[in-house]
Amino acid sequence: METTSKKRIKITFNAPVVLIFVGICLVATLLNYITNGKSNITLFMTYHSSLANPLTYVRFVTHIFGHANWTHFMGNMSFILLLGPLLEEKYGARELIEAIIFTGAVTGIFNYIFFPNIALCGASGVVFAFILLSSFTSFKQGEIPLTFIIVAVIYIGQEIYKGVALEDNISNLSHVLGGVVGSTVGYYTNKKS
């Protein structure tokens, strides 16, 4: 008598930080549509509001969850879902959460100070942090990966060019700052270990 063993395929919750982040962004984007943009203005967009308003400080970070539309959301989440699980496995949940929050705070505060007339929302800074951070996954002490240099030149160079030559209503500074945060986190995290 032959017995065949059927292996069941199961879905795993492989990258909790990434999946929760994407879930929060999805809820924020849905709320933006349901409230006709009011939720983004209230919670998921940073802009030059009064420093006496406690939500100003909250929005320095929470702007990373809001997205202007579904195209914006899908573009950012594609990169987050592609790169995030690899990064979460390599660096761990805590390091990834810190990188996400730090990226949000740095881009939010810089936007508030240097671009008072521009509102900022979306996870583009986090995407660029992830892109640059991922190029450090094969880091060895005393070495800088060539992939990091190429990625930095391509992505950051492209954003600097867009910021100087084009006016496309995208905050190129948040992309560059996200890349700087990702590079810094990748370098120092790998140097410690």
Side-chain angles (χ1 to χ4, degrees):
M1 182 195 261
E2 276 185 45
T3 59
T4 57
S5 63
K6 288 185 180 179
K7 287 192 174 187
R8 291 186 173 211
I9 296 174
K10 65 179 184 176
I11 297 172
T12 59
F13 197 67
N14 63 321
V17 170
V18 171
L19 292 169
I20 290 168
F21 180 79
V22 170
I24 293 169
C25 290
L26 175 63
V27 169
T29 305
L30 283 170
L31 285 172
N32 184 49
Y33 276 93
I34 292 167
T35 64
N36 202 24
K38 288 183 176 72
S39 65
N40 268 8
I41 292 169
T42 305
L43 283 175
F44 305 117
M45 181 183 291
T46 186
Y47 47 88
H48 206 78
S49 57
S50 170
L51 290 174
N53 181 350
L55 285 178
T56 297
Y57 303 97
V58 171
R59 287 188 295 259
F60 284 156
V61 175
T62 60
H63 73 275
I64 61 176
F65 301 123
H67 287 81
N69 54 46
W70 289 113
T71 304
H72 187 207
F73 171 80
M74 295 299 279
N76 281 339
M77 294 309 107
S78 297
F79 278 105
I80 298 286
L81 288 166
L82 180 67
L83 299 170
L86 163 84
L87 296 174
E88 192 166 341
E89 184 178 322
K90 165 82 175 164
Y91 297 106
R94 182 179 174 184
E95 291 283 343
L96 200 61
I97 290 168
E98 289 173 358
I100 290 168
I101 291 170
F102 189 60
T103 301
V106 167
T107 57
I109 292 167
F110 265 75
N111 189 76
Y112 184 90
I113 294 169
F114 295 109
F115 299 98
N117 298 324
I118 296 176
L120 180 66
C121 79
S124 300
V126 175
V127 167
F128 273 76
F130 277 21
I131 289 169
L132 278 270
L133 184 56
S134 69
S135 66
F136 273 96
T137 55
S138 62
F139 178 86
K140 292 183 180 110
Q141 186 65 29
E143 298 177 2
I144 295 178
L146 180 59
T147 53
F148 164 75
I149 295 168
I150 294 169
V151 167
V153 168
I154 290 171
Y155 280 97
I156 297 203
Q158 170 182 277
E159 293 309 308
I160 291 171
Y161 168 75
K162 284 180 183 177
V164 172
L166 306 173
E167 287 193 31
D168 59 2
N169 204 22
I170 297 173
S171 179
N172 304 97
L173 177 65
S174 70
H175 297 174
V176 172
L177 289 173
V180 169
V181 169
S183 304
T184 305
V185 169
Y187 180 77
Y188 285 106
T189 301
N190 283 295
K191 193 173 178 183
K192 281 192 299 188
S193 59

